[in-house]
Amino acid sequence: MKALILLAGSLLALNAHGDEYAPVTPYRPSVSSPAQLPAAGQLELELGGLASKSDEGRRASLPYTLKLALDSAWGLVLGGEGLVSAPTADGRQRGMGDTQLVLKRAYVLSDESALGWELGTKLPTARSVIGSGKADYSVNGIVSQDLGAVHMDANLNLTRLGAIEPGSGRTQMGVSAAFAMALDERWGISGEWSGNQRRGSERSAQLLLALSFSPSKLLTLDFGMSHGLTAATPSWSVFSGAVLPLARLW
């Protein structure tokens, strides 16, 4: 309910002061992060819902992301899951999820091409029955490129996990590639393959397909689904969300 009130209030503010804001830069809904930053000084909110099904049962959460570019090259990203409902051995647990803090560096080479990297940490703000209970640390390399009408974001990352199973490696490698294309002035479509691999643990991989709708330059809505390709990945997930500016700080 609080999320809906926040979204409704933000939409009213946008209608009243839309000329103060730059177009939003969506990071949703793909796993891949783009190299590009939002407009400097513009605080953007990404808010959504996610439901997935795996062998352990059904899991639901409300993911969020706050993005702020300090200038044209540096930015900060704060995200996580505001609320999680997850199956456990004792039934179902609900609570706040883990929190991620990311420092981002962008190298814009041209209007069609950009490179970037991210340094991030996952803070164990969730209860151990929902999260891992340990901090993780990651580094991510990004290549963003326009290929004609198609935009590509490719990521390669390494994560140092705080909590691992006995006999498994602590360093996890992740790779992803997302491709997006505008269908017209308001509608767009995107697809993505992503996966993770770690010694002593089964690989995960998934395919994602999503549609986006932008009624204005200040709001983008998305909805779609993903399908797991390995036993270690949720068999399916459905999601929807929104991207909008919250404030122009400078």
Side-chain angles (χ1 to χ4, degrees):
M1 180 61 69
K2 291 182 179 180
L4 293 177
I5 294 174
L6 176 61
L7 181 58
S10 298
L11 291 176
L12 291 174
L14 292 181
N15 290 332
H17 305 285
D19 293 340
E20 299 178 7
Y21 297 98
V24 294
T25 305
Y27 287 6
R28 287 184 55 87
S30 62
V31 174
S32 304
S33 176
Q36 289 83 0
L37 292 166
Q42 179 164 291
L43 179 63
E44 294 186 4
L45 169 67
E46 302 192 353
L47 188 65
L50 172 65
S52 61
K53 180 181 180 298
S54 65
D55 293 340
E56 286 74 30
R58 298 176 185 269
R59 186 182 191 276
S61 66
L62 296 176
Y64 69 91
T65 301
L66 291 166
K67 316 190 303 281
L68 177 64
L70 306 178
D71 54 28
S72 61
W74 293 93
L76 294 172
V77 181
L78 177 69
E81 293 178 303
L83 180 64
V84 179
S85 175
T88 66
D90 299 325
R92 180 164 291 274
Q93 294 288 334
R94 295 174 177 85
M96 179 181 178
D98 289 328
T99 302
Q100 294 200 2
L101 178 61
V102 175
L103 173 67
K104 185 163 187 160
R105 176 68 161 95
Y107 302 87
V108 179
L109 306 180
S110 67
D111 291 340
E112 297 80 25
S113 181
L115 303 175
W117 54 257
E118 296 174 329
L119 294 177
T121 179
K122 185 204 76 176
L123 305 175
T125 53
R127 290 181 292 176
S128 58
V129 292
I130 294 177
S132 67
K134 300 288 185 179
D136 301 336
Y137 303 93
S138 63
V139 57
N140 183 41
I142 309 168
V143 176
S144 294
Q145 179 70 50
D146 287 345
L147 306 170
V150 177
H151 177 79
M152 179 198 72
D153 294 313
N155 288 196
L156 177 62
N157 50 72
L158 294 175
T159 301
R160 184 73 171 174
L161 299 176
I164 59 173
E165 305 85 4
S168 63
R170 193 172 292 277
T171 302
Q172 176 176 278
M173 182 181 70
V175 61
S176 62
F179 301 87
M181 181 176 66
L183 300 177
D184 58 27
E185 291 183 355
R186 296 190 174 186
W187 287 93
I189 188 171
S190 59
E192 180 188 52
W193 177 91
S194 62
N196 295 309
Q197 183 175 7
R198 180 165 56 95
R199 179 179 57 82
S201 181
E202 187 172 357
R203 291 185 298 172
S204 67
Q206 70 170 18
L207 289 175
L208 177 148
L209 182 64
L211 285 172
S212 62
F213 175 66
S214 300
S216 79
K217 67 178 184 178
L218 304 181
L219 176 64
T220 296
L221 307 173
D222 64 72
F223 45 93
M225 67 178 298
S226 61
H227 175 63
L229 303 178
T230 70
T233 314
S235 55
W236 61 262
S237 300
V238 293
F239 55 83
S240 63
V243 185
L244 70 162
L246 284 185
R248 196 64 189 260
L249 303 181
W250 63 81

